[in-house]
Amino acid sequence: MNNEIEKLAYTPLKQLSNRVWRTYQGGALIDRWKRSESELDTNEPEEWIMSTITARGKGRPADEGLSLLVTPQGKISLKELIASNPSRFLGDFLANKYGTTGVLIKMLDSNERLTIQVHPDKEFAKEYLNSDFGKTESWYILGGRQVNGEPSAIYMGFKQHVTPQLWEKLFREQDTEGMLDCLHKFEVKPGEAFMIYGGVPHAIGSGCFLLEVQEPTDYTMRVERITPGGLSIEDELIHQGVGVENMLKCFHYETYSAEEARKQWMVTPQVLQSSDQFSFKSIFNEVHTSCFGLKELDLTGTFKLDTPDSFFVGVVYEGEGIISCNGNEVSYTQGDEIFFPAAIEEVRFKAATTSKILLCYPPSE
């Protein structure tokens, strides 16, 4: 690793905007968060944060989804930076076990309901997709809006009347209303958090603005051949190349009452530390999954963060201030997405205005 790149291991690094094409529309609230001049709903409703993987989509650019960082030496891809010295940037554990970040972070804003879908668990991903990662994910609700008078809502988990035979029948008949009726629907509000494990059927409803932390793949099995917005979905994006029969095996067919579903997947944030200058909360941790972690720092003054033995990522939801690391000072402002290399030993945040900073962490095992 040359001296100039080595220096980057000791300072926070910001990402350029990284919007990604999807099969649904949205993104206006991401524009607002980024303080863009326009607030538009398009087919780029997701911002991928600190990504070393590419998005899956026929005819899309080969490098779509890969994050680019801003450095004194110019733009550099996160993937290239990590490859220059995995231990220095990721930490020894991640460098030796995965050789990559092991996590993907997204901001997501839906102007229409996403298709009913499921993601593979690790076992399915290994057997059918030759991947060490499934796509267990988490949703932290940050905001939302009413779309056509409908409040923000999510769908997750099978109701008690569902059987594999009924689900397959509804899929083959493309009975969308019947499939939606198989899932629990919950209205959501800012501050609520949900775990969506591999194998759990789900759909994000219209009007949801959330942070998603997940395993680093783009494997999505869909059961709707036409999106709510009228886009036809080709077979490859229905079953990810494994075929319909295997796609249907990806679902976990456990059933739940509404109360059981909430208890199974809704997470209550826990305050770890607090003072008159900050509140530091755990959102997702090893109690819920070893695949990733999420904490929230609400700040009006200063806060010294204990750094892990790995990289982590800061997403500035609101506010502005200064980050001090190893004698370096870097400003932060709303909309910033910041990579903290593993070599950084001390981080101190000082708010100039009331700040909310979401801290995302890689796998713990």
Side-chain angles (χ1 to χ4, degrees):
M1 183 165 65
N2 67 48
N3 289 337
E4 292 304 309
I5 291 192
E6 184 172 4
K7 292 177 183 177
L8 300 180
Y10 299 93
T11 188
L13 300 168
K14 296 182 182 180
Q15 173 185 284
L16 291 171
S17 182
N18 188 25
R19 297 289 281 272
V20 173
W21 188 92
R22 301 279 83 180
T23 60
Y24 67 98
Q25 290 216 335
L29 295 187
I30 297 176
D31 288 346
R32 182 180 301 177
W33 169 58
K34 288 284 193 179
R35 295 174 171 167
S36 300
E37 290 185 6
S38 59
E39 296 181 10
L40 299 176
D41 288 312
T42 70
N43 273 103
E44 292 185 341
E46 297 179 8
E47 169 84 354
W48 285 23
I49 300 170
M50 300 310 162
S51 169
T52 58
I53 71 164
T54 55
R56 294 173 64 86
K58 189 174 182 180
R60 300 300 302 163
D63 61 352
E64 184 170 29
L66 294 177
S67 293
L68 290 175
L69 305 182
V70 180
T71 80
Q73 290 77 43
K75 293 184 292 187
I76 184 172
S77 76
L78 177 61
K79 193 172 184 178
E80 180 183 351
L81 187 74
I82 289 169
S84 71
N85 191 317
S87 289
R88 192 72 57 86
F89 287 101
L90 296 175
D92 289 336
F93 167 72
L94 291 170
N96 293 332
K97 182 164 185 177
Y98 298 117
T100 185
T101 63
V103 68
L104 176 61
I105 304 152
K106 301 176 182 177
M107 281 290 203
L108 184 156
D109 171 42
S110 58
N111 187 49
E112 65 181 76
R113 177 180 61 76
L114 277 65
T115 53
I116 302 166
Q117 58 193 248
V118 71
H119 305 304
D121 59 22
K122 287 184 184 293
E123 291 74 23
F124 186 98
K126 189 67 175 178
E127 180 175 354
Y128 292 99
L129 298 162
N130 194 31
S131 171
D132 290 329
F133 296 104
K135 194 171 180 279
T136 283
E137 63 188 31
S138 60
W139 302 336
Y140 187 41
I141 310 298
L142 297 172
R145 50 183 161 151
Q146 286 198 0
V147 177
N148 297 324
E150 288 290 321
S152 305
I154 59 173
Y155 301 79
M156 61 179 184
F158 284 130
K159 293 180 180 177
Q160 291 173 305
H161 71 278
V162 178
T163 64
Q165 294 76 22
L166 172 62
W167 189 243
E168 180 174 357
K169 177 177 181 290
L170 294 171
F171 163 70
R172 294 194 183 280
E173 293 174 353
Q174 283 298 285
D175 183 349
T176 301
E177 290 306 313
M179 288 189 286
L180 283 172
D181 187 56
C182 288
L183 306 182
H184 295 286
K185 180 180 180 181
F186 300 108
E187 292 185 13
V188 293
K189 60 182 183 292
E192 292 184 331
F194 300 87
M195 283 295 309
I196 305 297
Y197 296 99
V200 175
H202 62 275
I204 294 172
S206 60
C208 291
F209 181 42
L210 57 86
L211 178 82
E212 180 173 295
V213 190
Q214 59 159 90
E215 290 185 87
T217 72
D218 196 26
Y219 295 127
T220 299
M221 316 289 183
R222 300 168 175 88
V223 292
E224 291 179 74
R225 294 192 177 276
I226 299 177
T227 71
L231 180 69
S232 294
I233 304 226
E234 60 193 59
D235 282 351
E236 181 72 17
L237 291 180
I238 292 288
H239 55 64
Q240 301 293 307
V242 304
V244 166
E245 298 297 333
N246 289 328
M247 178 270 288
L248 290 168
K249 294 178 185 176
C250 189
F251 288 88
H252 292 184
Y253 288 95
E254 293 88 354
T255 62
Y256 300 88
S257 68
E259 181 180 353
E260 289 169 338
R262 275 191 176 274
K263 185 176 180 181
Q264 187 79 3
W265 297 306
M266 191 172 183
V267 172
T268 302
Q270 302 292 322
V271 176
L272 301 174
Q273 297 174 254
S274 65
S275 76
D276 59 351
Q277 297 191 48
F278 65 83
S279 174
F280 190 46
K281 302 174 187 174
S282 172
I283 313 298
F284 304 111
N285 56 51
E286 290 182 354
V287 171
H288 316 111
T289 181
S290 62
C291 294
F292 46 75
L294 176 65
K295 296 177 182 177
E296 178 185 303
L297 174 62
D298 295 296
L299 187 65
T300 57
T302 62
F303 179 75
K304 180 181 178 295
L305 180 68
D306 293 328
T307 57
D309 295 325
S310 68
F311 83 93
F312 63 98
V313 174
V315 179
V316 183
Y317 183 63
E318 63 182 1
E320 56 186 38
I322 297 292
I323 303 166
S324 302
C325 297
N326 302 336
N328 298 314
E329 286 194 346
V330 176
S331 65
Y332 71 79
T333 191
Q334 178 177 314
D336 281 347
E337 303 145 347
I338 307 168
F339 182 81
F340 292 84
I344 292 176
E345 296 179 353
E346 181 177 307
V347 177
R348 189 178 298 272
F349 295 92
K350 183 177 181 180
T353 64
T354 299
S355 302
K356 183 187 295 292
I357 302 169
L358 304 168
L359 300 167
C360 309
Y361 296 87
S364 58
E365 63 179 46

